[in-house]
Amino acid sequence: CKLIRPLRLSLQLGTGEKLDLYSWLCMSLLFSTLWGQATPQCPDSCHCAWETATVLCSDAGLREIPEGIPPETVSLHLERNYIRNIPESTFSHLVHLRDLYLSHNRIDSLSSGALRHLGPDLRLLDLSHNQLRQASREEFGSTRAKTRLYHNPWHCDCTLQELMETLNLEPETVNGIICESSVRGEHAGQPLVKLLDSGVNFCSLQRKTTDVAMLVTMFVWFFMVIVYVVYYVRQNQAEARRHLEYLKSLPSPRKTPTETDTLSTGF
């Protein structure tokens, strides 16, 4: 207001009253400042629709989750970017979030608890068309949102099976969850759900594999013990033979004349 102090003009109001132009400009500046502070700020490279609490960051060339996402956000679009991972607690402040779109990125890892703090209001979680190979229940937490995980190069094992049994997978896309690799090679290229429906149990396979590994380890340990015992016995036998040969090689002691006379005369 100090900059506009020289403008001491007056405005004629309809009732004949006058309003000082200086006061009017100061009030306008104050209101605009307060309005700017009250209005949420939209993250860089994103577009925000405040009337629907939607944040649009699609096709923005992002390589990480942008900072400054308004906590009032209900729908967050981050699809078709270059995001590679999701740090822990990234969305913990978005307590009103209902729809989270992360498809068509390069996400290949989820930090422990990355999605654990998503609020109970979450309805849709889209992680399709990424580079995810492994994921666990700890990373998703207790979310009951409809989840899309198709078109990822999944490695099918017990951990993934347990995750599939926990999540609320979208029925229309569940057959798109394909095992690119697995603990057994013959399952590669097949839909995970069909394998589970056919009776394949990756957890039992893992337990069998673990049992076999333990059996092999015990056998190797037992074999090494036997080898050591045999080596120890043979080594002692060799030492005993060498010692006996040494004793045989020593000259026998000669009898003295006194001893000979004593033996010949008796007592």
Side-chain angles (χ1 to χ4, degrees), residues 241-258:
R241 284 196 299 268
R242 284 196 294 270
H243 184 68
L244 183 59
E245 292 175 356
Y246 170 75
L247 292 176
K248 290 181 178 180
S249 65
L250 294 176
S252 59
R254 295 180 179 180
K255 297 179 180 180
T256 62
T258 305

Side-chain angles (χ1 to χ4, degrees), residues 50-211:
W50 303 120
E51 63 278 4
T52 59
T54 300
V55 178
L56 301 170
C57 304
S58 307
D59 298 294
L62 298 175
R63 298 187 178 276
E64 57 185 14
I65 306 296
E67 297 181 356
I69 300 174
E72 299 84 4
T73 302
V74 172
S75 182
L76 177 58
H77 291 259
L78 291 163
E79 58 265 45
R80 295 185 297 277
N81 283 292
Y82 304 100
I83 300 171
R84 299 189 66 89
N85 60 77
I86 301 178
E88 186 175 359
S89 303
T90 300
F91 306 110
S92 59
H93 67 292
L94 304 179
V95 295
H96 304 291
L97 192 63
R98 293 187 178 182
D99 304 306
L100 178 57
Y101 298 90
L102 289 161
S103 63
H104 294 88
N105 276 282
R106 299 179 180 179
I107 300 173
D108 56 12
S109 64
L110 301 172
S111 299
S112 178
L115 305 172
R116 185 186 306 168
H117 303 288
L118 292 171
D121 294 334
L122 190 69
R123 302 175 303 183
L124 177 63
L125 174 60
D126 190 355
L127 283 165
S128 61
H129 293 275
N130 277 287
Q131 300 298 319
L132 289 170
R133 285 183 52 81
Q134 296 179 326
S136 65
R137 290 181 295 184
E138 289 74 17
E139 294 157 357
F140 283 81
S142 59
T143 180
R144 299 305 303 161
K146 186 177 293 185
T147 307
R148 298 172 182 170
L149 295 175
Y150 64 99
H151 283 297
N152 279 282
W154 291 110
H155 175 74
C156 294
D157 56 6
C158 181
T159 303
L160 184 61
Q161 176 179 329
E162 292 176 344
L163 176 63
M164 297 298 107
E165 295 170 350
T166 303
L167 293 178
N168 179 23
L169 298 173
E170 186 179 54
E172 297 83 1
T173 61
V174 69
N175 287 327
I177 303 176
I178 307 296
C179 299
E180 181 170 294
S181 61
S182 71
V183 291
R184 296 185 62 177
E186 65 266 22
H187 298 143
Q190 301 184 49
L192 176 59
V193 174
K194 290 185 177 180
L195 289 173
L196 298 179
D197 290 341
S198 67
V200 176
N201 190 331
F202 291 99
C203 293
S204 65
L205 291 175
Q206 180 173 335
R207 282 192 289 269
K208 290 180 180 178
T209 303
T210 303
D211 293 341

